[in-house]
Amino acid sequence: MGCGTGALCAAILDRCSPSSAIGVEPSEGFLKTAKENLGHRATLHQGSATAIPLGDASVDVVVSGLVLNFVPDQPAALKEMARVSAGRGTIAAYVWDYAGKMELMRHFWDAAAALDPLAAKLDEGPRFPLCKPEALEQLFTSAGLKGIEVKPIDIPTLFRNFDDYWQPFLGGQGPAPAYAMSLEEAARARLRDRIRERLPFSANGSVSLIARAWAVRATVAP
Ligand SMILES: C[S@@+](CC[C@H](N)C(=O)[O-])C[C@H]1O[C@@H](n2cnc3c(N)ncnc32)[C@H](O)[C@@H]1O
């Protein structure tokens, strides 16, 4: 669900050997890239989390990676994911821990908000309240799902030096790079310097951070 360019589909195909895999994605551009990346290994459909183009009880597992926080009507998405899942099927999702230990983003937004109160409005931490374990559990409970488990997935992210950390903010996609590039050069330099002052550098100049996602999984009642 929300397969984007197909990264999660590819990981599932490589590691889990499912009998078949289906990706659903609203964006035509992402779907085209997913087709290029996955070839015939997965069937791809245009659709959304609240309008999945599949029949009732047609799949065993529905999984969405880094998607649910973008869906406007999350309870409706859970209902739809449960509709297409067979009884005792699994529904699983993960989202970044934006407000907590998605550390490369936290360092960015904490520094940005300290220098510019307007930046706080763009910070994904407060913008995506779903991205906390209690909120995920609550969403899955409200959908009537059973056996709910919520766990952190901690991914070590090592940056060789400050530039290695900073460069992606100067050209990447997403709210943080867009904000960085919207600043005048002097303001961007102030932001860069503030982040650099606070990052936990090792003696060799590298920076070791954690990128945490909260993962949730549950079973559809038969
Ligand atoms: C951060 S990307 C994750 C892509 C993919 N799951 C992955 O792991 O590479 C978020 C994806 O969610 C999709 N998306 C946004 N709103 C959606 C919705 N309402 N229903 C389904 N997918 C949605 C976006 O188009 C995008 O492909």
Side-chain angles (χ1 to χ4, degrees):
M1 174 47 48
C3 69
T5 56
L8 179 56
C9 284
I12 291 168
L13 287 160
D14 292 345
R15 292 178 193 202
C16 309
S17 306
S19 58
S20 64
I22 301 166
V24 175
E25 164 62 38
S27 151
E28 261 178 45
F30 282 151
L31 262 186
K32 186 169 173 286
T33 308
K35 276 188 184 134
E36 286 160 14
N37 291 338
L38 297 167
H40 296 295
R41 298 207 299 156
T43 308
L44 299 170
H45 296 293
Q46 194 160 25
S48 81
T50 47
I52 303 176
L54 297 176
D56 295 354
S58 56
V59 297
D60 297 316
V61 179
V62 180
V63 60
S64 80
L66 309 176
V67 173
L68 270 187
N69 52 292
F70 298 113
V71 177
D73 189 344
Q74 293 154 357
L78 264 285
K79 199 172 161 197
E80 183 68 344
M81 289 160 89
R83 179 188 68 76
V84 301
S85 302
R88 297 201 176 82
T90 298
I91 296 185
Y94 53 87
V95 290
W96 287 125
D97 181 19
Y98 287 112
K101 292 191 82 65
M102 199 331 175
E103 291 180 328
L104 69 104
M105 300 305 298
R106 274 281 33 93
H107 281 279
F108 180 94
W109 286 122
D110 288 349
L115 295 170
D116 172 9
L118 292 179
K121 290 204 172 85
L122 302 170
D123 180 349
E124 288 106 329
R127 274 179 48 221
F128 295 134
L130 178 69
C131 297
K132 295 194 171 170
E134 304 78 18
L136 287 168
E137 183 160 0
Q138 170 63 37
L139 178 67
F140 275 55
T141 302
S142 306
L145 301 173
K146 304 293 174 208
I148 300 165
E149 290 177 65
V150 183
K151 286 187 183 166
I153 300 174
D154 284 356
I155 303 151
T157 43
L158 179 66
F159 300 93
R160 290 188 311 278
N161 50 41
F162 181 73
D163 274 354
D164 199 22
Y165 169 89
W166 181 241
Q167 278 301 320
F169 290 105
L170 304 182
Q173 283 188 342
Y179 173 76
M181 295 314 291
S182 74
L183 297 173
E184 303 269 328
E185 203 168 325
R188 190 162 52 247
R190 276 196 296 280
L191 173 60
R192 180 198 62 205
D193 293 349
R194 187 174 177 101
I195 296 172
R196 188 160 40 198
E197 279 160 26
R198 284 162 176 77
L199 280 174
F201 285 98
S202 300
N204 66 2
S206 66
V207 183
S208 180
L209 301 176
I210 286 174
R212 173 173 291 173
W214 287 109
V216 55
R217 132 174 121 183
T219 304
V220 180

